[in-house]
Amino acid sequence: MSEEKTIFKRIIDGEIPADIIFEDEQCLAFKDVHPQAPVHVLVIPRKEIPSIAHLSDEDGSLMGHLLLVVRDLARQLGLDDGYRVVINTGENGGQTVDHLHVHLLGERYLGWPPG
Ligand code: AMP
């Protein structure tokens, strides 16, 4: 892992602002700065994990927690017609920030396959 803080670690540390809509002891959820849908939220663990490829077996409950937070946020945001949950991983996965993050996208129809 690079010594330099990622932009998401800087958000966790309060060094740069974000539109935070939820936080607890394990994670933070904030609005994506370049939304790809009317609702576009990122849920990130406070723990510095670069990507899914870097998960340890002990991170299983943390990952489950992130998905339960996504479920609750989707309900709160009224995404009753469905939504998409995405975790881009590595170069071919289109990951641009090396701090694991879960995208929650909704309030429009999302085509498949993705680009
Ligand atoms: P990914 O391409 O999966 O790594 O997603 C990174 C996401 O982080 C992109 O959708 C960016 O728009 C978003 N992003 C980058 N910097 C910020 C920031 N400072 N605040 C909120 N979202 C950001």
Side-chain angles (χ1 to χ4, degrees):
M1 204 192 309
S2 146
E3 292 298 308
E4 211 170 293
K5 275 189 190 183
T6 65
I7 193 126
F8 291 172
K9 177 61 176 161
R10 296 185 67 201
I11 289 172
I12 291 167
D13 290 346
E15 294 173 4
I16 56 167
D19 195 345
I20 295 170
I21 61 168
F22 174 80
E23 60 183 310
D24 65 16
E25 68 287 347
Q26 294 186 79
C27 71
L28 217 62
F30 52 90
K31 293 186 182 171
D32 196 293
V33 78
H34 296 301
Q36 301 301 315
V39 169
H40 189 171
V41 171
L42 301 172
V43 181
I44 68 170
R46 290 185 187 276
K47 182 177 176 183
E48 286 182 273
I49 305 170
S51 79
I52 283 202
H54 298 80
L55 286 171
S56 308
D57 290 351
E58 70 195 23
D59 295 320
S61 68
L62 170 60
M63 291 306 292
H65 180 70
L66 298 184
L67 290 182
L68 293 174
V69 168
V70 166
R71 174 201 63 185
D72 291 345
L73 289 174
R75 279 184 190 154
Q76 284 163 27
L77 294 165
L79 302 180
D80 302 328
D81 293 332
Y83 49 87
R84 185 162 295 165
V85 180
V86 174
I87 306 177
N88 294 324
T89 304
E91 197 179 337
N92 276 1
Q95 183 176 2
T96 59
V97 178
D98 291 333
H99 183 115
L100 195 153
H101 48 283
V102 183
H103 295 258
L104 167 62
L105 298 138
E107 232 166 63
R108 74 168 170 83
Y109 179 77
L110 296 154
W112 192 265

